[in-house]
Amino acid sequence: MKDELRVGMIGLDTSHVEVFSGLLNDPGQPHHLPGARVVVGYPGGSPDFEKSSSRVGGFTETLAGKYGIAMLESPEAVAEASDAILLTSVDGRVHLDQFSRIARFGKPTFIDKPFAVSSEDAEAILRLAREHGTPVMSASALRYTEALTQALARTDDPVEGAYFTGPMEIEPTQGAFFWYGVHLAEGLYQAMGTGCREVAVTTSDACDVAVGRWHDGRVGVIRGFRNGNYYFRAVLHRASGDQWLDLDAGPCPKHVPLLTSILEFFRTGISPISRENTLEAIRFLEAADRSRNTGEKVIL
C-alpha cells in the first residue's frame, strides 16, 4: 500500500469521527498517528434516531472545515476514492445496507460498534465480505484498553471467568444491550474468547446483568448500570485469584490503541479479531436482549 493511506469515512453522526479524524489528520495532536489521512466522507444519518439526526450536521461541518475532508454523495463514491474505509455510522441498523454498497470495492473496512444489531445482519455482512474478498474488522475501544491488554498478556494464569461493568443507557432503536452494552460484551469476548452456550439476564430500573455460561463451564458476566456515572471496570477470575482492572486508566485516550490496531488491519488486511469472535459477541447481545424481554434463559 501507499506510504500514506487515503481513508474514507461513511456515517458522520458519532463523536468517533472527530476523534479519528483528529488523530489521523492533525500532526499537532499529542497522540497523532501518522501513515493515514481521512480524505473523503459521506454524512449519512438516521432521521428516526435522535442521536444521529441531531449530530450529523455538526460533525460533517467540523470534518469539512477543520480537517479538510471532502464530502461525497454516496458510500460508493467514498469507496472509490479511498484505500481503506471507516464505516462509523452510529446506527447499527444501517451497517448491512451501507456495507452492501461498498463490499464489491474490496477495500479493508472497519465497522464501528455495534457491528450489527442482529445476528442475521452480522452473518450477512460477513457473507458479503467473503464473497467479495473484502477484509472486515469491528471492535469497541474497550478491547484495547491498556489494563486489559496487559492483563491478557499473562498466559501462565488462564482466565477462568470474567466480570465487566459500565454504563448502559438504553436506546430503543438499538435494542437494550446493543447501544452501550456492546462495550461490555466486546471486553468480555476479548477476555473469554468464543464458546458461550447460554445467557440469562436479570433486569431492574438501575441496571441489567447478563450471565453467560461457556461450554467449558466458565462464566462471564456483564453489568450495565444507569446511575449517571461513566466508568468501566473489570475483574478477571484466574486460578491464582481475582485481578481487578480499571479500564479507564492509561497514558492515552482509549481510541488511540484501537485506531493503531485499525491502521495495522488496513495495511495487512488481517483482522486481529476473528469473525467467529465478532459474530458470537453479537449473538450474545441478541440473546441478552431476548432474555431481558422474556425473563428466560436463552440458548445461543
Side-chain angles (χ1 to χ4, degrees):
M1 277 192 176
K2 304 172 182 178
D3 289 339
E4 185 172 81
L5 297 176
R6 298 172 303 163
V7 176
M9 196 172 270
I10 296 171
L12 311 183
D13 53 359
T14 167
S15 60
H16 293 183
V17 301
E18 188 169 1
V19 172
F20 289 156
S21 298
L23 289 169
L24 295 178
N25 290 27
D26 183 0
Q29 283 212 12
H31 300 289
H32 170 65
L33 296 174
R37 185 176 183 85
V38 183
V39 295
V40 291
Y42 167 72
S46 299
D48 65 340
F49 186 8
E50 190 274 337
K51 281 188 168 60
S52 169
S53 59
S54 67
R55 300 191 295 176
V56 63
F59 286 128
T60 298
E61 184 178 339
T62 296
L63 266 57
K66 185 175 181 179
Y67 298 111
I69 297 168
M71 295 301 149
L72 303 182
E73 71 283 358
S74 68
E76 293 89 341
V78 169
E80 285 185 313
S82 58
D83 302 311
I85 298 164
L86 291 166
L87 200 165
T88 46
S89 293
V90 75
D91 184 354
R93 297 174 300 171
V94 305
H95 288 175
L96 172 57
D97 174 68
Q98 291 179 338
F99 184 72
S100 71
R101 296 173 64 177
I102 63 172
R104 64 186 173 86
F105 294 92
K107 307 292 176 68
T109 302
F110 174 80
I111 301 179
D112 209 348
K113 61 82 189 168
F115 182 63
V117 292
S118 73
S119 59
E120 182 180 6
D121 279 10
E123 289 166 357
I125 290 171
L126 293 174
R127 185 164 55 250
L128 283 167
R130 284 193 297 269
E131 290 173 358
H132 294 281
T134 302
V136 169
M137 173 186 174
S138 183
S140 157
L142 215 67
R143 284 187 184 257
Y144 291 97
T145 58
E146 181 181 14
L148 185 58
T149 298
Q150 290 181 355
L152 295 179
R154 289 181 53 191
T155 58
D156 60 321
D157 196 9
V159 175
E160 298 183 342
Y163 167 89
F164 283 75
T165 187
M168 199 182 110
E169 295 300 324
I170 294 174
E171 288 293 336
T173 65
Q174 306 298 297
F177 274 86
F178 280 94
W179 178 241
Y180 250 66
V182 63
H183 289 298
L184 305 176
E186 288 266 301
L188 183 67
Y189 268 82
Q190 190 78 348
M192 297 278 286
T194 59
C196 184
R197 288 296 175 262
E198 61 185 42
V199 179
V201 170
T202 298
T203 184
S204 73
D205 290 341
C207 69
D208 286 286
V209 179
V211 179
R213 184 174 67 84
W214 266 242
H215 67 86
D216 55 7
R218 292 180 300 152
V219 173
V221 180
I222 65 174
R223 175 183 178 272
F225 53 76
R226 290 178 286 277
N227 60 11
N229 291 320
Y230 189 93
Y231 60 80
F232 292 95
R233 303 287 185 267
V235 181
L236 301 184
H237 305 296
R238 301 180 184 268
S240 62
D242 292 342
Q243 184 178 8
W244 293 76
L245 306 177
D246 180 353
L247 302 177
D248 297 317
C252 63
K254 286 190 185 76
H255 289 94
V256 174
L258 170 62
L259 189 53
T260 300
S261 181
I262 293 170
L263 293 180
E264 180 66 16
F265 158 69
F266 281 165
R267 292 195 173 278
T268 65
I270 300 172
S271 171
I273 302 164
S274 72
R275 295 183 180 205
E276 294 76 16
N277 191 291
T278 294
L279 179 57
E280 191 176 306
I282 296 299
R283 287 178 173 156
F284 181 99
L285 291 166
E286 188 174 55
D289 269 6
R290 191 176 306 139
S291 178
R292 184 179 191 271
N293 290 333
T294 65
E296 298 176 352
K297 178 175 64 180
V298 175
I299 306 300
L300 267 68

